[in-house]
Structures are given as C-alpha cells and as structure tokens.
C-alpha cells in the first residue's frame, strides 16, 4: 500500500528518491516525504497529497548521497504534513519510514509519553523512531543493534528503513509482513517496497524474508534475523525493465494493461498446453499424476478480484474435473478456525504476492498441514516463497490499482489447472482437445472485445448518469457479474451490486426502476432461456438493461447489447469479464475519475 524508497551511494539522493516515489504512486497514498543527511543534519520535507506537491516543495538544493522516502496510505491519523513520513526522534537524529501497522502503538506511545517524550504526530511509526533513539542512548553498539532491540518491543507488521545522521553511510531495513527489496547497483544500493522503484536502476535484487534485517551500504549489504543470526541472501535477477512502467502512448495504465491482455494470455499459455495428450503442463505445482488424483477438493483463496477469479476457477474445476471446489475470501479464512483437509488442494491467489490477508491464510494452512500452492504474478514475493510451488501468472507488471490483465491470467491459469485435474481423471481426450483449442483461441477473442471499444464507450456514455447499477448472472455468469460490479465501484465510485439472477425476485427486484440500470451477463449456454427470463422481469418493471452476451438475443429485448464472440462455454466467462472491464473503464472516464489511482484504495494491500 504505502511506498518506500531508500538510497545510499555517490549520486544526489533526492532525484533518485523522488523518481522512485513517482514509480510507486500506483500503490495508493495520501501524503509523501523524504529525509536526507546534509552537513550532519537530517533534512525532512513532507507534503500531504501527491508526489508532485512534494516535488514542488523541494526547491532548495539539499545535496546528499543517502536518503529515505515514503508515500503514506493513512492508518493512524489523518492525511497531513504532520502525519506524513519520515518520522524523527526528539533530537532529529533518527528518521524512519514504515509500511504496515504497529498493533501495540497505543501502549508504546503511552509509555514514551510517560517517559517525557513529546510525540508530534498521531502515527504508530513515530514511536519506532523514539524507541531506536532510546536504544542508542542506552548503549546499543550499532544502528542495526538498536533497530533490532526496538523491534523486539513492537507487535504488528512492518517494512521499514532507518536513517541515522551520525552514520551517513548506511541504512538499516527490516521486514515483517510488509515487503522490502534491496536493489544492487554499481557502487550504490537501493531499497524499496516494490521492484517498480528499482528497475530503472538495477535488475539485481534481494528479497527480505519476514523477521529479517539488513544493513545496507553503498558497496555491500549484510542480512540477519531478529535474533542476530546471520543469513545468506543471494541476489536474483528480475525480468522487469523500466519501460514496463511507462504508458507507451496510452492515456493511462488501466487502458494500457487491458490492451496487453491478448499478449499476456499468450505468455500464460506458452509451453503449457499439450495437444498430444489434450492436457496442460504446470510444472511449478510440484505434483505428479498420483498426487493430482489424490486431490478430493479444491479451495481458492483470494481478496477482491483475486477472489472472484477463484470463483471462476472453482466453476472450471467442478465442470472439467468433477471435483468439489469453492472459493473463499482469504481475509476471512484464518479467523473462522477453518477445518484443514489434507485431501484438499488450496490455491492462494495474489497479483502482488504480498497481500497480507492471503499470506496469513497461507501461513495458517501451512501451520495446520494443508497443501497450498500459489498463483502469483511476482517472482520472489512473500506468497510465492511461503507456498514454495504454484503457478506464475506471466501477466507482466500491473500498475493500475484495478486489476485487469492479472485477473484475466488468473482465470486462464485456473482453466489449465482444471484441465490438468480433469485429464488425470475422467475428462475425455476429445473434451480435453476442445478445451485446449478454446484456450488457444482466447487471445484472438479478447482482441475482438478490445476492438469493440468504441461501441462499449457509447453504451457507457448513455448510462453515465446512473447513481446505482445491478450486475446479474447465473452459474458461469455469477462471478463475472461480481467482478463487473467490483470494477465499476472501485474506479467510477458508482454504487453497484451483484446478484445471482435467480435471487432477483427474492428481494432486490424491489429496487428496479427507470433509474436503476441492470447489467445482465448472458452466456450462450444451457441457461440462456433463464437469463432471458430475468431480462423480461426487469423490463416489465421499467428497468434499463445492458446485456453482455455471446448469444443471439431477441430484437429489442435489451436497451443496450455488448457482444462478444462464441467459444467454448466453460471459457466464455473469461471473455465476458474483459467486456465488463471496458464498460467500467469508460463509465469512469466519462465521470472524470482517475482510473489508475481510485480514491481510498491501494494496489498491494499489505495491512489488515
């Protein structure tokens, strides 16, 4: 959620820090700040609002070769200059930037206040700066030792970077539940909460694990545990480059990432489909045919769009493999004391691989002996490392807060998982070949939907005045409707509700009137007549209808029709979802919304 950038080297730190913050803007934030050491002093500049407002305040030259920076998403205290990071101790010696939530912050602040410390912000982070300063005053031998001692008093999650004005050649970083990555340059080192801030400078990175610290200097880094045990962390090379985070002629990242979906799906399929045996190869699962046959149930765990992708995946598994499957919000999983079945395959879904609720669900499963695989888009992420096996999405970097290409690649990956599970059971070779061909055709089908952009934009314009909208679907169309409502809510701020079509007459039908458009997902499948009946019920009560379909509807039945091509029925929801992405996008643009950075939201949710 929040963004962290740190630098130590030979260059002027502030341009590096601010450029890094700019690349992390997509994560969501409400204030920004930097701190550098200049002539033995920590110089801090902060601003509530966007990074550009911070940039506007940095008019006075402050050359320095070391510094830390932050974009804050408020958890403790309102967005303001005072609550923005970095935070200092009372003497201005220690500066700290922090992602996460300190759960015992109230107690720590009270203890510091009783000791005579004057706290100047409402944040949990400020307490960490004072704790570190106290440990140094008490004789801690190094900054790393002081940070370690302070963190032993802290309960909660953190990704943090610490700067000491008396040690202007080193940074100390630590991680527990919130990502921290080191970037290795030539005679310089970088720190960030996301590789997006690093790839402009280096592709060699080190991912810290939970409970791990690092001391970073221009030419070296040293890692250790919270218990002061040295660890060995070898750099890895990420396949992302700076151009992945550029608009490339598109008006915004959401539009760019929707346009990249055909290519992203091709990457997800590459080398994974087997026409000869009509199956899929997912070597990252680490499961042979015997282990796959032993799976008696599949449960998908994710948050937001990842959860809805899991629902689509559950439908695919039940249809193709005939194994009971369902999806559940990862945020609720560990709190209900779940029964963990050793014969169930759990699938943890996260675009970033750092979603805290999903990571906590994985840890709960591992603690109880569950078999869990990951479906993530970031190699080396926390969920990927915790699971140890799974499916890499190959969607490429996703910058816009609203997930499009990653969500699509999730469902494509689950279709391959369902095909694989089906073919080791009773799915016939002929049916397998049909699904393989259907998967091969997906990039072209998605390209066709994207080519209908102008028509969908006109539909959006006609309904841009709506204050509320229904999204309706049955069975295959139900998760599509839920994802469509999610997209509309998060980027347009229009209130949207998703319902199973059959539930409409059990209460929600009371809300239908001329000002309540209904978006009805109508796949050309065995439930077509049922879905047509739903539309008739809405029209009989004066409700406008937008049908999203690949079927031939009776003329005049719906007020607007968004058409997609026919394909294999099991895979049609993937293409229908792309059409709803475009509808939500154009409604949001028509309303003048910032589609890449919707209010109150963040790309990678690393707090509860």
């Amino acid at each position: 959620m929040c963004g962290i950038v740190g630098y130590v080297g030979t260059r002027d730190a502030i341009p590096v820090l601010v450029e890094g913050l700019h690349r992390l803007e997509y994560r969501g934030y409400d204030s920004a700040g930097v701190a550098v050491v200049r002539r033995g002093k920590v110089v801090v500049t902060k601003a509530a609002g966007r990074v550009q407002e911070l940039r506007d305040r940095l008019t006075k030259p402050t050359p320095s070769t070391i510094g830390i920076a932050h974009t804050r998403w408020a958890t403790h205290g309102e967005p303001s200059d005072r609550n923005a990071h970095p935070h200092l101790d009372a003497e201005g010696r220690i500066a700290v930037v922090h992602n996460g939530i300190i759960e015992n912050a109230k107690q720590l602040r009270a203890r510091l206040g009783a000791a005579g410390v004057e706290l100047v912000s409402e944040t949990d982070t400020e307490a960490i700066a004072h704790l570190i300063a106290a440990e140094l005053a008490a004789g801690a031998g190094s900054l790393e030792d002081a940070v370690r001692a302070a963190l032993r008093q802290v309960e909660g999650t953190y990704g943090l970077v610490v700067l000491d004005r008396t040690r202007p050649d080193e940074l100390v970083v630590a991680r527990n539940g919130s990502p921290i990555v080191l970037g290795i340059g030539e005679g310089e080192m970088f720190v960030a909460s996301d590789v997006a801030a690093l790839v402009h400078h280096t592709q060699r990175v080190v991912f810290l694990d939970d409970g791990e610290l690092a001391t970073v200097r221009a030419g070296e880094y040293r890692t250790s545990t919270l218990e002061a045990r040295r660890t060995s962390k070898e750099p890895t090379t990420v396949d992302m480059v700076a151009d992945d985070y550029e608009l490339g002629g598109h008006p915004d990242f959401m539009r760019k990432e929707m346009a990249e979906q055909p290519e992203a799906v091709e990457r997800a399929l590459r080398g994974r489909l087997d026409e000869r045996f009509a199956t899929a190869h997912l070597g990252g699962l680490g499961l042979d045919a015997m282990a796959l046959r032993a799976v008696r149930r599949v449960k998908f765990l994710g948050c937001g769009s990842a959860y809805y992708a899991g629902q689509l995946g559950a439908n695919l598994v039940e249809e193709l493999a005939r194994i009971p499957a369902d999806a559940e919000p990862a945020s609720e999983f560990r709190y209900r004391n779940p029964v963990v079945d050793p014969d169930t395959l759990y699938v943890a879904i996260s675009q970033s691989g750092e979603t805290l609720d999903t990571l906590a669900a994985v840890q709960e499963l591992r603690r109880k002996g569950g078999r869990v695989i990951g479906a993530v888009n970031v190699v080396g992420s926390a969920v990927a490392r915790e699971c140890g096996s799974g499916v890499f999405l190959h969607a490429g970097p996703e910058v816009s807060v609203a997930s499009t290409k990653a969500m699509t690649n999730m469902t494509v990956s689950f279709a391959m998982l369902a095909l694989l599970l089906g073919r080791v059971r009773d799915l016939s070779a002929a049916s397998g070949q049909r699904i393989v061909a259907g998967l091969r055709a997906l990039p072209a089908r998605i390209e066709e939907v994207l080519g209908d952009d102008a028509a969908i934009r006109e539909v959006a314009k006609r309904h841009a005045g709506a204050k509320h909208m229904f999204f309706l679907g049955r069975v295959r169309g139900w998760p599509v409707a839920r994802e469509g409502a999610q997209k509309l809510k998060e980027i347009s701020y229009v209130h949207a509700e998703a319902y199973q079509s059959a539930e409409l007459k059990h209460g929600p039908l009371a809300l239908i009137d001329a000002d309540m458009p209904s978006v009805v997902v109508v796949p050309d499948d065995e439930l077509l007549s049922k879905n047509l009946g739903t539309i008739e019920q809405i029209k009989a009560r004066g409700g406008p209808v937008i049908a999203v379909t690949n079927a031939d509807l009776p003329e005049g039945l719906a007020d607007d029709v968004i058409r997609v091509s026919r394909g294999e029925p099991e895979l049609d929801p993937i293409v229908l979802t792309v059409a709803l992405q475009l509808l939500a996008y154009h409604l949001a643009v028509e309303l003048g919304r910032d589609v890449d950075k919707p209010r109150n939201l963040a790309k990678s949710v690393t707090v509860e």
Side-chain angles (χ1 to χ4, degrees):
M1 299 180 83
C2 310
I4 284 175
V5 184
Y7 175 77
V8 55
T10 57
R11 284 192 266 175
D12 186 1
I14 284 184
V16 176
L17 297 172
V18 174
E19 188 265 344
L21 291 184
H22 171 69
R23 293 182 179 275
L24 297 182
E25 284 192 278
Y26 73 93
R27 293 173 66 93
Y29 69 102
D30 46 54
S31 60
V34 299
V36 296
V37 176
R38 172 67 171 158
R39 294 175 179 168
K41 294 182 179 180
V42 176
V43 181
V44 177
T45 307
K46 306 181 187 184
R50 296 298 187 191
V51 169
Q52 184 57 49
E53 296 176 56
L54 173 66
R55 196 192 304 266
D56 291 342
R57 293 189 182 185
L58 291 166
T59 55
K60 184 179 180 181
T62 313
S64 175
T65 57
I66 187 168
I68 57 178
H70 192 263
T71 51
R72 175 178 183 257
W73 189 81
T75 57
H76 290 70
E78 66 181 4
S80 66
D81 290 3
R82 180 166 56 96
N83 289 327
H85 297 210
H87 287 287
L88 305 178
D89 71 308
E91 294 182 2
R93 173 181 175 179
I94 300 299
V96 176
V97 293
H98 163 234
N99 292 351
I101 293 179
I102 304 306
E103 295 171 0
N104 63 335
K106 184 177 180 180
Q107 294 89 335
L108 292 174
R109 287 173 61 90
R111 195 176 86 199
L112 289 165
V117 175
E118 182 180 352
L119 297 159
V120 298
S121 77
E122 303 168 89
T123 69
D124 52 346
T125 303
E126 187 186 356
I128 300 175
H130 290 289
L131 291 175
I132 294 169
E135 293 297 333
L136 287 168
S142 67
L143 180 60
E144 182 181 299
D145 289 339
V147 172
R148 182 178 287 110
L151 291 180
R152 290 192 184 116
Q153 305 169 57
V154 166
E155 297 172 11
T157 59
Y158 52 80
L160 60 87
V161 188
V162 183
L163 174 67
D164 180 354
R165 75 181 183 201
T166 71
R167 295 173 170 87
D169 63 342
E170 70 177 27
L171 300 172
V172 172
V173 304
R175 171 191 170 128
N176 184 49
S178 193
I180 286 289
V181 187
L182 311 182
I184 303 171
E186 295 294 329
E188 58 186 355
M189 290 286 291
F190 307 86
V191 178
S193 53
D194 190 305
V195 294
L198 304 177
V199 292
H200 186 68
H201 306 287
T202 181
Q203 291 178 284
R204 297 181 66 228
V205 301
V206 172
F207 294 94
L208 292 193
D209 292 318
D210 283 349
E212 201 164 28
L213 294 85
T215 294
V216 179
R217 298 186 179 91
E220 62 177 351
Y221 66 92
R222 181 182 68 248
T223 58
S224 60
T225 66
L226 198 58
E227 294 75 34
R229 187 179 68 254
R230 287 290 301 272
T231 58
S232 177
K233 306 290 290 192
E234 292 298 321
T236 60
T237 300
V238 295
D239 60 358
M240 302 171 189
V241 295
D243 286 349
D244 291 330
Y245 297 92
E246 302 296 339
L247 286 171
H250 294 277
D252 44 64
F253 280 104
M254 185 174 178
R255 190 70 186 86
K256 175 178 184 274
E257 287 155 11
M258 287 191 295
E260 290 172 343
Q261 288 178 108
E263 182 183 350
V265 170
E266 286 182 354
R267 282 198 303 271
L269 297 174
R270 193 170 297 140
R272 288 173 163 175
L273 294 179
D274 183 341
E275 279 83 358
R276 180 184 178 189
F277 294 106
T279 188
H281 293 300
L282 296 173
L285 299 184
L287 301 173
D288 60 17
M290 188 74 73
L292 290 168
R293 282 189 61 84
V295 173
R296 293 288 173 262
R297 187 180 189 89
V298 180
K299 179 180 279 290
F300 295 86
L301 299 168
C303 299
S305 292
Y307 165 46
Y308 303 137
Q311 283 195 305
L312 287 165
N315 286 350
L316 285 159
V317 168
E318 290 202 339
E319 286 194 85
L320 299 180
R322 305 305 299 154
I323 304 171
D326 65 339
E328 181 177 342
S331 53
E332 297 293 306
F333 181 71
R334 71 190 188 279
Y335 290 119
R336 63 176 185 79
N337 192 23
V339 176
V340 176
D341 181 358
D343 294 329
T344 295
L345 178 65
Y346 295 89
V347 184
I349 318 161
S350 172
Q351 187 282 136
S352 67
E354 301 289 349
T355 308
L356 183 62
D357 290 312
T358 307
L359 178 61
V362 171
Q363 291 167 339
E364 178 75 359
L365 283 165
R366 288 175 59 83
R367 187 179 68 82
K368 292 187 172 183
R371 182 189 303 173
V372 57
I373 62 172
V376 302
N377 196 41
V378 180
V379 173
S381 60
V383 171
R385 295 198 306 274
E386 191 75 29
C387 291
S389 60
V391 182
F392 182 50
L393 300 178
H394 290 291
E398 192 174 65
V399 174
S400 182
V401 166
S403 181
T404 53
K405 62 178 181 175
M407 198 276 181
T408 297
N409 275 29
M410 289 172 190
T411 55
V412 169
S413 298
F414 300 154
M416 289 188 285
L417 175 63
L419 173 62
L420 176 60
L421 287 167
R423 288 293 289 131
V424 298
R425 287 174 171 77
D426 300 321
L427 186 70
S428 69
S431 293
Q433 288 165 353
R434 177 176 62 82
I435 298 301
V436 168
L439 287 167
R440 293 278 191 210
L442 278 177
R445 293 184 65 199
I446 294 171
E447 195 74 66
E448 289 177 11
V449 177
L450 296 172
D452 205 26
D453 181 81
I456 295 174
R457 182 170 62 247
E458 291 304 313
V459 174
K461 285 182 178 180
R462 286 193 286 275
H463 296 276
K467 302 299 182 185
H468 312 275
M469 296 183 80
F470 270 137
F471 284 73
L472 303 166
R474 280 178 182 262
V475 188
R476 292 184 184 120
W478 165 229
V480 177
R482 297 191 77 182
E483 170 62 9
Q486 168 96 348
K487 279 289 171 289
L488 186 66
K489 282 183 281 195
E490 64 184 341
I491 64 171
S492 75
Y493 320 146
V494 172
H495 173 244
E497 293 280 353
Y499 278 95
Q500 292 160 311
S501 299
E503 287 295 300
L504 189 63
K505 57 185 174 291
H506 294 290
L509 199 59
L511 293 173
I512 294 293
D513 61 21
D515 297 321
M516 174 74 85
S518 295
V519 180
V520 186
V521 181
V522 189
D524 189 8
D525 60 15
E526 63 275 10
L527 294 174
L528 176 60
S529 62
K530 298 287 187 183
N531 283 316
L532 296 181
T534 296
I535 295 175
E536 294 280 11
Q537 292 175 34
I538 296 168
K539 295 297 293 180
R541 289 156 179 84
V545 171
I546 303 168
V548 183
T549 184
N550 59 352
D552 295 323
L553 304 187
E555 189 69 30
L557 178 64
D559 298 88
D560 288 289
V561 179
I562 297 174
R563 300 189 185 279
V564 304
S565 62
R566 286 187 177 88
E568 299 306 326
E570 298 92 339
L571 303 177
D572 284 343
I574 299 171
V575 183
L576 291 164
T577 299
V578 175
L580 291 184
Q581 292 173 359
L582 282 170
L583 178 64
Y585 173 83
H586 285 301
L587 270 162
V589 170
E590 191 68 22
L591 293 170
R593 310 303 191 210
D594 184 345
V595 294
D596 282 342
K597 298 185 281 289
R599 68 188 183 198
N600 304 330
L601 299 180
K603 181 63 177 174
S604 178
V605 183
T606 55
V607 298
E608 288 195 79

